[in-house]
């Protein structure tokens, strides 16, 4: 969490608690129409007890705590444990829960990169993404260029990310929906035999689990 | 005819590898979606439908979370959770408070 938000909270605490209100606008001096709309809607919903200011704060903290390291844990376990990998490919949601990753109600589908197949994930209609395991998606994932072209010319898109997939490797593109989120199980980099799971997990970067990059030894 | 958001397979320019740290207000919009959906006040399909209803111009010119807060607001009005009148009045209040806060900061 940024120090800025801490300031927001302190600011909150100094107020009287007779009436609920939204966090203050961002302190850079500008308040756009949409920022004002968010503050208005949030404060009304708090007033109507749809949720509390504290629940809002905790929700933001929970999302801030989501990052690609969680997906990396699943990948590393699959790299070291063939039985776990089989379970993950059969039922990604159950495998995530098995190692203590809370993914909510969404259906997680794990797709494996092999010497024959490279997988790439997109959401052409919007921005569906395994956010519980990777955090919020980067801007490019939600961009028109990525959404349009990933399904049409995936190899060209991959090249723009510096990822060259040889012609003899099939590229499979998975179009996500609100109910089905894909996570790529990248290939384990060579030269990592005997590495501890934790060290391996760091090699599974966000981009490698979306499929725009390969897991690389660092 | 395909709808504007349905862009899979269309031609487009190069993918710019852009990303930014989400601003506090963007995180609050995201949290709004999660909180409302957990409480049964919004379904992801509604969120998307109301984003799509913004029309091509708005879709292309608004930022991602600008589209979301617009869609969330539309959904809450459609469901009768909030009225456009109370939202409008509260926005005026928020803007007035912000203006006086800025003025106060300049004066001090």
């Amino acid at each position: 969490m940024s120090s800025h938000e801490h300031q927001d909270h302190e600011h909150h605490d100094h107020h009287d608690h007779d009436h609920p209100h939204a966090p203050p606008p961002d302190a850079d001096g500008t308040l756009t129409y949409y920022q004002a709309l968010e503050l208005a809607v949030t404060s009304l919903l708090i007033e109507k007890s749809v949720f509390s200011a504290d629940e809002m704060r905790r929700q933001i903290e929970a999302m801030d705590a989501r990052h690609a390291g969680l997906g990396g844990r699943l990948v590393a376990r699959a790299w070291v444990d063939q039985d776990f990998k089989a379970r993950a490919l059969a039922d990604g949601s159950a495998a995530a829960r098995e190692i203590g990753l809370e993914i909510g109600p969404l259906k997680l589908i794990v797709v494996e990169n092999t010497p024959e197949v490279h997988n790439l994930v997109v959401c052409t209609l919007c921005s569906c993404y395994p956010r519980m395991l990777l955090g919020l998606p980067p801007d490019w994932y939600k961009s028109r260029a990525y959404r349009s072209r990933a399904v049409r010319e995936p190899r060209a898109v991959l090249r723009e990310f510096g990822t060259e997939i040889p012609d003899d490797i099939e590229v499979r593109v998975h179009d996500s929906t609100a109910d089905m989120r894909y996570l790529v199980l990248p290939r384990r980099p060579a030269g990592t035999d005997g590495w501890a799971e934790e060290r391996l997990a760091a090699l599974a970067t966000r981009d490698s689990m979306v499929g725009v990059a390969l897991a690389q030894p660092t | 005819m395909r709808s504007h958001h349905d862009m899979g397979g269309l031609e487009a320019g190069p993918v710019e590898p852009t990303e930014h740290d989400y601003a506090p207000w963007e995180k609050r919009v995201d949290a709004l979606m999660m909180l409302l959906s957990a409480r049964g006040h919004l379904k992801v399909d509604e969120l998307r439908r109301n984003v799509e209803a913004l029309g091509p111009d708005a879709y292309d010119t608004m930022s991602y979370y600008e589209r979301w807060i617009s869609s969330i607001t539309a959904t809450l009005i459609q469901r009768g959770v909030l009225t456009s009148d109370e939202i409008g009045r509260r926005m005026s209040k928020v803007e007035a408070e912000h203006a006086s806060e800025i003025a106060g900061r300049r004066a001090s």
Side-chain angles (χ1 to χ4, degrees), chain A residues 61 65 77 81 86 94 111 119 126 134 146 167 180 183 192 196 205:
Chain A
E61 284 179 0
R77 177 64 61 87
D81 181 341
V111 288
N119 294 282
C126 185
L134 299 185
Y146 186 74
D167 283 344
M180 288 199 320
L183 186 83
T192 59
T205 59

Side-chain angles (χ1 to χ4, degrees), chain A residues 25-32 39, chain B residues 92-105:
Chain A
D26 302 337
D28 63 359
T30 59
L31 180 72
T32 68
L39 290 171
Chain B
S92 302
K93 184 162 170 269
V94 164
E95 284 162 348
E97 282 170 1
H98 178 74
S100 80
E101 193 190 312
I102 294 294
R105 224 184 283 163

Side-chain angles (χ1 to χ4, degrees), chain A residues 88-153:
Chain A
L89 295 174
D91 185 341
S93 311
R97 290 189 192 106
E98 181 187 324
I99 57 170
L101 299 172
E102 178 42 55
I103 59 162
L106 69 87
K107 181 167 168 55
L108 180 72
I109 299 171
V110 178
V111 288
E112 183 188 17
N113 285 351
T114 68
E116 292 82 34
V117 176
H118 181 85
N119 294 282
L120 179 68
V121 178
V122 65
C123 176
T124 62
L125 293 176
C126 185
S127 56
C128 292
Y129 185 80
R131 52 158 56 205
M132 306 309 266
L133 296 181
L134 299 185
L136 295 175
D139 294 307
W140 57 258
Y141 185 82
K142 306 182 280 190
S143 71
R144 162 172 294 275
Y146 186 74
R147 287 164 54 190
S148 299
R149 292 178 50 234
V151 288
R152 181 190 180 99
E153 40 181 358

Side-chain angles (χ1 to χ4, degrees), chain A residues 118-129 137-161 171-176 182 184 206-213, chain B residues 7-18:
Chain A
H118 181 85
N119 294 282
L120 179 68
V121 178
V122 65
C123 176
T124 62
L125 293 176
C126 185
S127 56
C128 292
Y129 185 80
D139 294 307
W140 57 258
Y141 185 82
K142 306 182 280 190
S143 71
R144 162 172 294 275
Y146 186 74
R147 287 164 54 190
S148 299
R149 292 178 50 234
V151 288
R152 181 190 180 99
E153 40 181 358
R155 286 174 200 272
V157 168
L158 284 164
R159 269 196 297 277
E160 285 161 27
F161 283 90
V171 174
R172 282 187 200 154
V173 182
H174 304 272
D175 197 354
S176 315
Y182 293 91
V184 174
R206 177 195 71 195
D207 288 0
S208 76
M209 291 181 278
V210 177
V212 295
Chain B
M7 54 185 70
L10 298 180
E11 297 201 23
V15 178
E16 306 289 342
T18 49

Side-chain angles (χ1 to χ4, degrees), chain A residues 31-39, chain B residues 66 69-70 87 91 95:
Chain A
L31 180 72
T32 68
Y33 172 85
Y34 297 101
Q35 288 172 7
L37 179 59
E38 179 276 317
L39 290 171
Chain B
E66 286 175 352
I69 188 60
S70 301
I87 295 168
M91 276 184 81
E95 284 162 348

